Amino acid sequence: MADNFNNGFNSTNFVVLKQKGSLLENVEIVTDKVDGIEKNVLKLAMHAEGTGDAWHVYSGAVVQTRDFFASGRYEVRAKVPRVEGMIWALWTFHYETHYDVAHLPAG
């Protein structure tokens, strides 16, 4: 799978997870220069507040592919800001089953 985001955020390929403070509003497609060429890129934002060691992250962005992929070669080009305390990660495999609260058993 490859996505150049020319058609925006394609929900056929990706989904924004609503967990760990992840919000759809923190995910957008913007234009940026990549190796001197203007391209559409996926921008993930986070919002935090505080000073020194007392920071609180209010929201972030977690994006996952809709399909599962096995072992192989993966290439990601990322521009990560130099911000102390911000964590950027890429997992090649992560799976959790999440249920809507309305569908959970009592208790």
Side-chain angles (χ1 to χ4, degrees), residues 8 11 14 25 42 44 47 51 56 73 75 77 81 87-89 94 96-97 107:
S11 60
F14 298 98
E25 299 85 56
L42 177 65
L44 306 176
H47 300 281
T51 59
H56 177 74
R73 179 184 168 147
E75 183 176 327
R77 297 188 127 197
I87 298 171
W88 183 89
H94 176 73
E96 291 180 32
T97 302

Side-chain angles (χ1 to χ4, degrees), residues 19-36:
Q19 65 183 36
K20 299 178 171 101
S22 176
L23 298 175
L24 181 60
E25 299 85 56
N26 292 340
V27 178
E28 64 180 317
I29 304 301
V30 298
T31 19
D32 197 1
K33 286 202 174 190
V34 179
D35 295 332

Side-chain angles (χ1 to χ4, degrees), residues 42-93:
L42 177 65
K43 179 181 177 183
L44 306 176
M46 66 171 274
H47 300 281
E49 190 176 282
T51 59
D53 291 333
W55 281 89
H56 177 74
V57 175
Y58 290 98
S59 65
V62 179
V63 176
Q64 174 180 305
T65 57
R66 282 212 180 263
D67 292 329
F68 294 115
F69 297 94
S71 58
R73 179 184 168 147
Y74 298 92
E75 183 176 327
V76 174
R77 297 188 127 197
K79 180 168 55 173
V80 181
R82 293 181 181 180
V83 177
E84 190 174 321
M86 186 194 82
I87 298 171
W88 183 89
L90 172 74
W91 283 277
T92 56
F93 181 78

Side-chain angles (χ1 to χ4, degrees), residues 3 5 7-16 24 64-67:
D3 200 323
F5 303 109
N7 296 316
F9 187 79
N10 187 342
S11 60
T12 304
N13 292 338
F14 298 98
V15 62
V16 176
L24 181 60
Q64 174 180 305
T65 57
R66 282 212 180 263
D67 292 329

